[in-house]
Amino acid sequence: LIRAGSRVKRENLWQRTASRAVDVAVFTPASVLSAGERSISKQHPLLSCALSRIIEQWKRMFEHSESRPILAQSSVSSDALSETELARAASFAGPRRASTTNLQQSLQDAGSSSPRTSTPVTIVERGAGVCIGALLNLMLCVPFALAYFPIEWHPFPVPRAMGCGMYFLSTVIAQIVLTFQSGFASAQGQMMVENIPFMHAISSVVMEHQGLGEDALGTVLIIWTVGTLFVGAAFFALGYLKVGSIVYHIPRQVIVGCIGGIGIFLVRTCFEVSTGIPFGRELLGSVWPLWGLSVAYEVGLRILLRCDSVTKRTGPLLAPIYFLAIVPAFYLLLFMKGATIHDARKAYFLFPNTEDVSPFLPVEIMAQTVRRGAFSWRAFAKALPTTAMLAIFALMHVPINIPALAATVHVDYDLNHELKLHGVSNLASGLVGGLPNYLGYCNSVMYARCGGGGRAAGAALIVVEALSVAYGMRVVPYVPRCLAGCLILHVGLDLVKEALYDSLGAFDTLEYGCIVAIGFVMTVFGFSSGLLFALVASTLIFTIQQAVHGNPVRGTMRGTTLRSSKWRTAAARRALDNAMGAVLVVQVVGTLFFGNATELKERVAEELKLDRKVTVLVLDFTLVRSIDASAAETVGSEICAIAKRHGARVCYASGRADGFPTAAPMTERLLTEQVHVARDLDAAILWAENVLLALKGGPTSPLRPPKSPALGAPAAQLAVLLPSLSSRDRDSLASHFKGRRLSPGEVLWRQNDPATSIVVVAAGALVSTLEDEAGTAEEVSPGQMCGESAALTKSRRPSTVKCTDDGPAQVYLLGAIALAALPAELRLELALLSMRYMSHRLDHVANRIWETRCVSI
């Protein structure tokens, strides 16, 4: 307890100290600006107003940090982060309380592409946003651009700082397209750093064929350019064809597994960038201070992130401020020890001092390689699968970043339009020898939070990035290796944490094992092999999960209480009450494939082996989504053979008018002498009733009733509907009905019309349709009565009734005047008939299947 108390005191002391340091770092500039504003307020009111707005903007960035996305709380500064975390961050980016309204309004204003009135204060805000956006890109450029090529490529034919120009060239092209065409005013483009592992794989292939010279470098750059063109063509095709949502069909465990693989790669790259030697046992030797300093800075950042008092005040700017502070902190330590910049560079704490590199050097190298005929087609052919994997992997990010940014800045978006813009920017980058690019989520959000947004600010950012293409490489020799190593390590650890730790409990055992296996395969065998393994493993896991958890049988039931919608005579109903227990209904659900079709067959065989005799077997496929060829063979042949061995007739209910959901000729295969295919379950039960009545010799129609039954008089139909009436009352009631012949498609009444008649169908058929309900329809067969409930209750028609398109119909109508003139006894009989109809509808087979409390009591 004493030790625990001491530890708590130390933690509280550390938090108070860190909080005080943040207060000084945050509010000291505000105090200085406030003093300056007061001193010039009288002489220069316009400049005073601008300074006041800057002070307010500076304080507001920290005071309202609670409204930041969840992703920002983890201090992520690169879009190489988790795509699933990006989407999750967007879902929590809504308002938290009233005090965050101003910040959200500023985000919405920055995110919207609608023009705003320019004022001096707005110009100052946009300028601050441009500075932050440029610093973010510069901070990401140095570590990742220097990691474009494998550290094993030594000696490198040109300065590695060439990668900085390539980074900014791709970034500035993306910024130009997004600034002037995107629906996001705060959109910030950047080079797609997630593709660096694939770039390393392509470089390794070329190094095997051409060695380490400039010709190999030219081949690598050309293949990278081809990959950029692939990415651009894929993005534009998805947007042009409006099928961008197809990317969402990639399994989540594949994306998370790839994120873990990239995280492990970045952790390894941290040690290589920090020391300049390949990852291996040599890192444990004399070079450990180089990577140890990067690790120490990362530990310090993690400690700050654990302090709530610090994160509440700094918000998402903690990580950028910390990384930028590494440079002065490094030089301060350097000069405190009395060392010079030359000494630090000689000890590999700084990157080598190289001569100026032309921003057009990559294009010149590619042109010379082609001119000399030194391009290796063999290396290109071997690297082509990796290039294709690079394009596929690039497609995973944008469809997630765009909705996440839209939710954060509260702006409507057109995914297909944004995808086409990404296609244009990548095609343009590829045509000038650049690398893939995209809209960066984290940078765009931070750009918006700092006041950036709009075409004017975007144009200024383009100018700054264009200058960085030419002069940004001069900064590299003065950047400490520990800064690059710390930033890469921070991003890599975040990705590994999300893939391996945050996924615990979010996936089942098989899916989590797939995530771990993907990361392992990517680390050991390469990213192309890892991505192929991920796709194969996800398919295998889906098959296993469907076979284990995808039970194809929703349930089985006897037909004791099941009845079709056909109105039967009293004698037929009594016969069915005794016979329907011999009907077995098996309801099939989900996707039928080779993995679970055998389970369906075994379940049917078990039900047929029971002591109770099954005369008719009904297989209901209403809830089946799809059937593959193997399952269609099992269902169509083997189950029929099992049923025949047990002496049962089989009826299949496809559940749809166009047949079974399969490309196999399943319907044609099933149409045999003792196999019937019905459109729905009601038709299947009707067929089973007819079979049982035929076997019992009771009053029924044939197994397949003729399409045009003989016309009947109203009295004959009323004798079936109202068997308790005497012949005199029946004839009296029939005399009040008036005949009417309906032509094909003729409307009898429309939905919401007043109910003025009761109709008895003598010949032909009617169809009842519910308007505006996806074509919900029901057939009214000959001998049935309709419209009696609305007429007796004097309500409006609940549906539209018309004659079917197959042919004419003969109906008899009992008008409202004739209904009112009927004796009370006859009106009571009609009311009782309406109640029996209602009870019959409640007992309908569809209600019995979907619900369990709909049988009338």
Side-chain angles (χ1 to χ4, degrees):
L1 288 175
I2 293 174
R3 293 193 188 99
S6 301
R7 181 174 56 83
V8 171
K9 290 181 179 179
R10 289 195 301 271
E11 290 179 354
N12 293 336
L13 178 61
W14 160 247
Q15 290 188 358
R16 290 196 301 270
T17 304
S19 176
R20 181 58 182 164
V22 171
D23 287 340
V24 173
V26 172
F27 295 105
T28 297
S31 302
V32 174
L33 289 174
S34 298
E37 185 266 336
R38 287 193 298 269
S39 64
I40 66 174
S41 58
K42 296 182 179 180
Q43 300 178 0
H44 303 282
L46 183 61
L47 182 58
S48 173
C49 179
L51 286 176
S52 299
R53 193 63 181 269
I54 293 174
I55 295 168
E56 179 185 355
Q57 184 76 9
W58 177 268
K59 292 182 178 180
R60 195 170 59 189
M61 280 192 303
F62 298 96
E63 290 173 353
H64 300 294
S65 60
E66 291 182 7
S67 66
R68 64 191 182 277
I70 296 299
L71 182 62
Q73 295 179 10
S74 63
S75 73
V76 181
S77 59
S78 170
D79 283 280
L81 296 180
S82 153
E83 306 297 351
T84 55
E85 195 69 28
L86 295 178
R88 192 183 314 127
S91 65
F92 286 91
R96 297 299 175 87
R97 63 171 188 246
S99 63
T100 65
T101 303
N102 294 334
L103 177 61
Q104 291 168 0
Q105 184 63 39
S106 66
L107 282 176
Q108 186 172 2
D109 293 342
S112 175
S113 59
S114 58
R116 297 179 59 198
T117 303
S118 296
T119 64
V121 177
T122 304
I123 294 174
V124 172
E125 287 184 354
R126 294 294 186 260
V130 169
C131 294
I132 293 296
L135 285 176
L136 289 174
N137 271 328
L138 179 62
M139 188 171 58
L140 293 174
C141 168
V142 174
F144 289 105
L146 295 176
Y148 283 171
F149 301 93
I151 200 69
E152 293 84 2
W153 196 332
H154 184 77
F156 198 67
V158 298
R160 291 182 182 268
M162 178 186 68
C164 295
M166 299 173 65
Y167 178 95
F168 277 112
L169 177 63
S170 177
T171 299
V172 73
I173 292 175
Q175 192 64 49
I176 292 173
V177 176
L178 294 177
T179 296
F180 296 103
Q181 294 296 327
S182 175
F184 299 97
S186 61
Q188 188 168 6
Q190 67 179 78
M191 180 266 168
M192 196 177 295
V193 297
E194 291 89 345
N195 288 335
I196 292 179
F198 295 93
M199 297 163 63
H200 277 213
I202 294 173
S203 301
S204 299
V205 171
V206 176
M207 289 164 59
E208 293 177 0
H209 286 78
Q210 288 188 286
L212 308 177
E214 188 171 321
D215 292 341
L217 179 59
T219 302
V220 168
L221 295 176
I222 293 175
I223 297 176
W224 287 359
T225 301
V226 172
T228 305
L229 295 175
F230 281 178
V231 173
F235 274 132
F236 191 83
L238 289 178
Y240 182 78
L241 299 176
K242 297 182 179 181
V243 292
S245 60
I246 193 174
V247 182
Y248 298 131
H249 295 284
I250 299 175
R252 184 165 174 255
Q253 63 265 23
V254 172
I255 297 177
V256 176
C258 293
I259 288 172
I262 293 177
I264 297 174
F265 170 83
L266 292 179
V267 171
R268 294 183 53 180
T269 305
C270 156
F271 292 92
E272 296 177 347
V273 171
S274 300
T275 60
I277 62 176
F279 186 84
R281 294 182 178 179
E282 294 81 1
L283 294 174
L284 300 177
S286 59
V287 297
W288 72 265
L290 298 176
W291 59 261
L293 191 57
S294 300
V295 173
Y297 277 122
E298 172 63 14
V299 171
L301 178 57
R302 294 291 174 178
I303 293 175
L304 287 177
L305 291 174
R306 301 285 292 182
C307 299
D308 294 337
S309 58
V310 177
T311 55
K312 285 182 179 180
R313 294 179 179 274
T314 58
L317 296 179
L318 173 59
I321 292 174
Y322 185 87
F323 288 127
L324 291 175
I326 289 179
V327 178
F330 172 81
Y331 281 103
L332 180 61
L333 292 174
L334 183 66
F335 294 130
M336 286 178 61
K337 294 186 64 175
T340 63
I341 295 178
H342 177 73
D343 297 334
R345 184 171 290 113
K346 186 177 180 181
Y348 292 97
F349 282 100
L350 294 174
F351 290 102
N353 191 6
T354 58
E355 66 276 7
D356 291 342
V357 179
S358 170
F360 304 103
L361 180 60
V363 179
E364 295 173 359
I365 293 175
M366 288 187 286
Q368 293 175 5
T369 301
V370 174
R371 193 180 302 114
R372 292 194 301 264
F375 178 74
S376 174
W377 288 99
R378 293 181 58 188
F380 175 77
K382 190 173 181 180
L384 192 60
T386 304
T387 308
M389 292 299 171
L390 181 149
I392 295 174
F393 187 72
L395 298 179
M396 298 181 184
H397 308 290
V398 177
I400 298 177
N401 284 2
I402 291 175
L405 181 60
T408 302
V409 299
H410 310 290
V411 173
D412 294 331
Y413 68 96
D414 183 353
L415 177 60
N416 294 312
H417 174 69
E418 300 295 334
L419 288 175
K420 286 192 289 185
L421 294 183
H422 279 76
V424 171
S425 66
N426 280 276
L427 289 173
S429 178
L431 291 176
V432 297
L435 299 174
N437 53 58
Y438 68 157
L439 180 148
Y441 169 78
C442 294
N443 284 10
S444 298
V445 171
M446 212 166 291
Y447 178 50
R449 290 177 65 92
C450 296
R455 292 189 175 180
L461 188 60
I462 291 171
V463 173
V464 174
E465 292 175 347
L467 293 175
S468 300
V469 174
Y471 302 104
M473 291 171 284
R474 299 183 180 181
V475 182
V476 175
Y478 301 96
V479 175
R481 286 181 179 267
C482 58
L483 170 60
C486 179
L487 194 148
I488 295 177
L489 180 61
H490 180 74
V491 175
L493 290 178
D494 273 347
L495 298 183
V496 174
K497 173 181 174 293
E498 183 191 351
L500 300 182
Y501 180 77
D502 296 343
S503 298
L504 289 173
F507 297 89
D508 62 21
T509 304
L510 284 175
E511 292 171 340
Y512 185 79
C514 178
I515 293 173
V516 176
I518 291 172
F520 175 79
V521 173
M522 284 187 169
T523 304
V524 177
F525 300 100
F527 275 75
S528 299
S529 301
L531 195 55
L532 287 175
F533 172 80
L535 297 176
V536 174
S538 61
T539 304
L540 180 62
I541 288 176
F542 174 79
T543 303
I544 296 174
Q545 288 176 331
Q546 289 294 318
V548 174
H549 304 292
N551 186 1
V553 179
R554 182 175 184 264
T556 61
M557 65 170 60
R558 290 284 176 164
T560 306
T561 60
L562 299 181
R563 297 293 183 272
S564 69
S565 60
K566 182 177 179 60
W567 187 264
R568 302 281 185 179
T569 63
R573 288 197 297 270
R574 288 192 297 269
L576 291 176
D577 289 341
N578 297 325
M580 284 298 289
V583 176
L584 175 64
V585 178
V586 179
Q587 195 170 26
V588 191
V589 66
T591 300
L592 283 180
F593 68 109
F594 59 89
N596 59 5
T598 303
E599 185 177 352
L600 172 62
K601 178 184 69 174
E602 294 174 352
R603 179 68 178 274
V604 171
E606 291 176 1
E607 294 289 340
L608 293 176
K609 289 179 182 178
L610 299 178
D611 296 336
R612 197 171 179 183
K613 174 67 176 177
V614 176
T615 304
V616 178
L617 172 65
V618 177
L619 294 172
D620 181 21
F621 286 79
T622 304
L623 297 181
V624 175
R625 294 190 297 268
S626 63
I627 308 174
D628 71 354
S630 301
E633 177 67 25
T634 301
V635 172
S637 300
E638 299 183 22
I639 293 182
C640 291
I642 294 174
K644 288 180 180 180
R645 287 199 299 268
H646 290 82
R649 292 172 173 82
V650 184
C651 179
Y652 289 81
S654 63
R656 47 188 59 81
D658 56 349
F660 295 92
T662 179
M666 187 171 170
T667 303
E668 293 78 3
R669 188 181 300 165
L670 293 174
L671 289 178
T672 60
E673 184 177 355
Q674 289 186 326
V675 175
H676 179 74
V677 178
R679 184 178 61 181
D680 52 29
L681 184 57
D682 180 59
I685 296 297
L686 176 61
W687 184 84
E689 291 175 349
N690 291 336
V691 170
L692 295 175
L693 291 174
L695 294 176
K696 295 289 183 179
T700 181
S701 57
L703 293 181
R704 295 185 179 180
K707 292 185 179 180
S708 300
L711 296 178
Q717 303 299 330
L718 292 174
V720 177
L721 296 173
L722 302 170
S724 61
L725 282 181
S726 63
S727 59
R728 184 170 60 85
D729 292 338
R730 184 176 62 245
D731 294 339
S732 174
L733 179 59
S735 64
H736 290 82
F737 281 84
K738 303 299 181 182
R740 179 179 173 182
R741 186 174 181 82
L742 300 177
S743 58
E746 182 179 352
V747 176
L748 185 59
W749 63 66
R750 293 194 178 277
Q751 188 171 319
N752 292 325
D753 285 349
T756 58
S757 61
I758 298 175
V759 176
V760 172
V761 182
L766 306 180
V767 59
S768 172
T769 305
L770 294 178
E771 304 292 345
D772 303 325
E773 290 198 16
T776 303
E778 179 181 350
E779 186 178 277
V780 183
S781 304
Q784 287 187 250
M785 180 181 290
C786 62
E788 76 288 342
S789 177
L792 291 172
T793 58
K794 297 182 180 181
S795 58
R796 294 187 175 273
R797 299 297 188 185
S799 63
T800 297
V801 176
K802 65 179 182 179
C803 180
T804 60
D805 297 331
D806 295 338
Q810 180 66 37
V811 299
Y812 290 88
L813 290 80
L814 178 64
I817 298 176
L819 177 61
L822 290 177
E825 295 80 3
L826 293 181
R827 289 200 303 270
L828 177 60
E829 288 294 336
L830 289 175
L832 293 175
L833 176 63
S834 177
M835 293 178 64
R836 286 196 294 271
Y837 260 130
M838 191 64 65
S839 175
H840 183 70
R841 295 182 66 81
L842 290 175
D843 290 342
H844 191 268
V845 60
N847 296 335
R848 290 287 293 114
I849 290 295
W850 311 129
E851 302 291 342
T852 58
R853 295 175 293 179
C854 56
V855 178
S856 56
I857 299 176

